Amino acid sequence: MTLGCARNEVDSEELAGRLAAGGWELETEPGVSDVVVVNTCGFVESAKKDSVDTLLAAADTGAKVVAVGCMAERYGNELADSLPEADAVLGFDHYADLSDRLDDIVAGRAVASHTPADRRTLLPISPVQRPSAADGVAVPGHAQQDTTAPGWGPRVLRTRLEESPVAALKIASGCDRRCSFCAIPSFRGSFVSRQPAEILAEAAWLAEQGVRELFLVSENSTSYGKDFGRAQGGGRALELLLPQLAGIDGIERVRVSYLQPAETRPDLVRVIATTPGVADYFDLSFQHSSEAVLRRMRRFGSTDSFLALVDQIREYSPAAGIRTNVIVGFPGETEDDLRELERFLTGARLDAVGVFGYSDEDGTEAETLDGKLDEGTIIERVSHISALVEELTAQRAEDRVGDVVEVLIETAGEETTGRAAHQAPEVDGDCVLLDAGERSVGDLVRCEVVDSAGVDLVVRPLPPGTDTPR
């Protein structure tokens, strides 16, 4: 059972692959299982609550319950002490031998809970010193396994847990940034890029499983390759990787997630916006646009620099999809700061915006900052910005009426739906097809946008060979 982000989904499929290789059979229902493995999320308070609730519900089935994932890594034996319903709380270092640990749990043998530590201390400070050192450090989602048959190379250690035509593909793990509100680096560790050959091999394997869209995930995709030498492309490694992924047989679309605005280079913008088979889609982590707030967040940028980046993207591709998340109510945020955020959102005309109210996170610098806003003020500001975002994103969707989009079909039947290039899985709206005809999940269909509803689009398939209306 997986909670949290797409990175966790990759980790779960790695664990499923490891367990299958160890002789375990996967079940879809907790009630018929000997063990329920819950891949927890530990990002924010609401996610932690969801994780605990899921662990308790799993325990109610009568199966053994094992907590893994970010919350388990972050809190370890503290979580185990407060949640006796879990039979074990295991960290990332347990992943390689998880099959054996489940054997122990089913047999009634005690398994010591994970003891948390700052995972940033496991690797050298300098990124270029990490590739060899990373061999001895558990990095979830990076697994491959050598086969024993002579003449065979590494095979992907992953089992798909759903039949979607879209799959997340991890290109890196960890983060070297020190955003004052974020605890992720402390339990995910320092930034480590996957080798291009491993990524390409896993991408080809996913294509063989019926995947048509690759969703590249990491904590910071713009840093990909910074721990490589010049011969591997160094800081240009992502620009070099994207066309190779797009050229894999069976892959129709490659999408990049989680770009840091301060690290988004002009060449990367160009490659994403203009490479055939790569979605002209930019998931940019702006978080705010007031310089004063961004500095307290330990981030860089401003309203004007962010608008310049948006303009640069749209010079290459006027129809490019751009989404972000913003945090409202950060310590010290003033009414002037909020107006600056409004100026950015109004000027940027983004396709999707997640709005979050600030809350303290254990062990972060922001937890100690002065200027905390009361809960009522934060709620009021979240409501205000959310209403603005709802209006702006609906206008942006309405502006697409008359455009032609390539829709990847994700559900087919009584209602046929999919997503265009500017829509990421689950978070950015859908396309609803009118007069869909006979379509199959995984088809890529050229459609005209005929209407919009909020961020969703209503589209109609175009006959083959039809000229683009606009």
Side-chain angles (χ1 to χ4, degrees):
M1 303 179 70
T2 307
L3 296 99
C5 63
R7 299 184 292 273
N8 250 17
E9 293 172 8
V10 177
D11 295 352
S12 284
E13 293 196 347
E14 177 199 318
L15 292 178
R18 289 186 180 279
L19 291 172
W24 287 83
E25 295 182 8
L26 300 176
E27 287 286 351
T28 57
E29 295 297 327
V32 298
S33 303
D34 297 306
V35 183
V36 178
V37 179
V38 179
N39 191 353
T40 60
C41 179
F43 182 41
V44 293
E45 201 60 39
S46 59
K48 297 174 201 173
K49 183 180 184 304
D50 288 345
S51 294
V52 170
D53 289 346
T54 302
L55 288 163
L56 292 173
D60 288 341
T61 68
K64 301 286 187 180
V65 176
V66 175
V68 297
C70 290
M71 188 176 181
E73 175 66 36
R74 186 176 182 184
Y75 295 104
N77 42 22
E78 178 186 343
L79 176 62
D81 291 343
S82 63
L83 197 71
E85 291 85 355
D87 295 273
V89 176
L90 306 180
F92 299 151
D93 293 333
H94 289 97
Y95 283 16
D97 58 0
L98 185 64
S99 178
D100 292 338
R101 298 294 72 77
L102 295 197
D103 287 340
D104 291 336
I105 291 164
V106 170
R109 296 186 289 268
V111 176
S113 295
H114 163 65
T115 300
D118 189 333
R119 294 191 72 84
R120 291 173 292 192
T121 63
L122 301 180
L123 290 170
I125 293 175
S126 172
V128 295
Q129 296 176 342
R130 291 176 192 161
S132 58
D135 290 343
V137 177
V139 186
H142 289 214
Q144 286 194 333
Q145 180 188 51
D146 288 329
T147 62
T148 57
W152 288 79
R155 67 179 176 88
V156 174
L157 191 58
R158 179 172 178 174
T159 296
R160 302 260 8 239
L161 296 178
E162 56 182 52
E163 297 180 353
S164 169
V166 183
L169 175 59
K170 190 173 285 192
I171 62 171
S173 287
C175 186
D176 288 340
R177 299 183 70 88
R178 294 294 180 265
C179 301
S180 63
F181 55 83
C182 183
I184 288 175
S186 66
F187 56 86
R188 277 289 183 178
S190 299
F191 185 87
V192 180
S193 301
R194 290 186 75 184
Q195 290 295 320
E198 290 184 4
I199 296 171
L200 291 167
E202 187 166 336
W205 177 84
L206 288 167
E208 292 171 358
Q209 311 305 306
V211 169
R212 294 295 170 260
E213 179 178 312
L214 299 174
F215 186 36
L216 307 188
V217 298
S218 72
E219 275 74 27
N220 179 6
S221 296
T222 35
S223 282
Y224 178 73
K226 76 174 188 178
D227 44 346
F228 292 162
R230 186 174 297 177
Q232 291 180 280
R236 296 185 60 249
L238 185 56
E239 290 102 292
L240 299 174
L241 178 65
L242 287 173
Q244 297 179 73
L245 288 168
I248 292 173
D249 287 344
I251 297 301
E252 300 284 357
R253 192 155 66 198
V254 179
R255 183 184 304 278
V256 186
S257 71
Y258 212 81
L259 304 171
Q260 287 288 346
E263 298 176 33
T264 302
R265 306 168 297 280
D267 277 352
L268 180 59
V269 171
R270 175 183 55 79
V271 169
I272 293 175
T274 64
T275 302
V278 176
D280 49 352
Y281 173 83
F282 294 81
D283 174 20
L284 289 158
S285 175
F286 289 118
Q287 302 298 353
H288 211 284
S289 72
S290 161
E291 286 190 75
V293 174
L294 288 167
R295 296 304 176 269
R296 288 171 73 84
M297 289 180 169
R298 302 293 185 199
R299 297 175 68 85
F300 303 94
S302 65
T303 296
D304 291 334
S305 67
F306 290 166
L307 289 174
L309 176 56
V310 169
D311 287 343
Q312 182 185 97
I313 291 167
R314 290 190 173 135
E315 284 177 11
Y316 283 111
S317 176
I322 309 176
R323 73 129 27 235
T324 196
N325 294 321
V326 296
I327 298 173
V328 178
F330 194 79
E333 182 190 64
T334 66
E335 291 288 349
D336 285 343
D337 294 326
L338 200 67
R339 281 191 287 272
E340 192 69 1
L341 178 58
E342 291 172 8
R343 181 167 80 88
F344 167 67
L345 293 171
T346 302
R349 295 174 56 248
L350 305 177
D351 292 272
V353 183
V355 182
F356 298 90
Y358 170 80
S359 62
D360 285 337
E361 270 300 301
D362 299 338
T364 61
E365 180 186 356
E367 188 181 25
T368 68
L369 292 178
D370 57 11
K372 297 284 177 66
L373 279 64
D374 63 80
E375 185 178 359
T377 299
I378 293 175
I379 291 172
E380 181 181 339
R381 291 185 179 183
V382 168
S383 177
H384 172 67
I385 295 297
S386 295
L388 175 64
V389 161
E390 185 175 352
E391 179 183 354
L392 293 171
T393 54
Q395 289 174 2
R396 176 68 173 159
E398 187 176 354
D399 289 343
R400 293 185 183 274
V401 173
D403 287 355
V404 169
V405 293
E406 299 281 345
V407 178
L408 181 69
I409 303 300
E410 294 188 316
T411 63
E414 188 171 328
E415 182 177 70
T416 300
T417 65
R419 288 178 300 101
H422 71 280
Q423 297 170 317
E426 299 181 3
V427 293
D428 293 343
D430 296 302
C431 291
V432 179
L433 276 72
L434 302 178
D435 306 322
E438 293 296 323
R439 306 292 176 183
S440 299
V441 171
D443 287 349
L444 196 66
V445 183
R446 192 163 174 266
C447 300
E448 180 185 1
V449 181
V450 297
D451 200 358
S452 66
V455 296
D456 295 329
L457 301 181
V458 180
V459 302
R460 179 174 283 113
L462 291 170
T466 303
D467 291 336
T468 301
R470 189 170 93 186

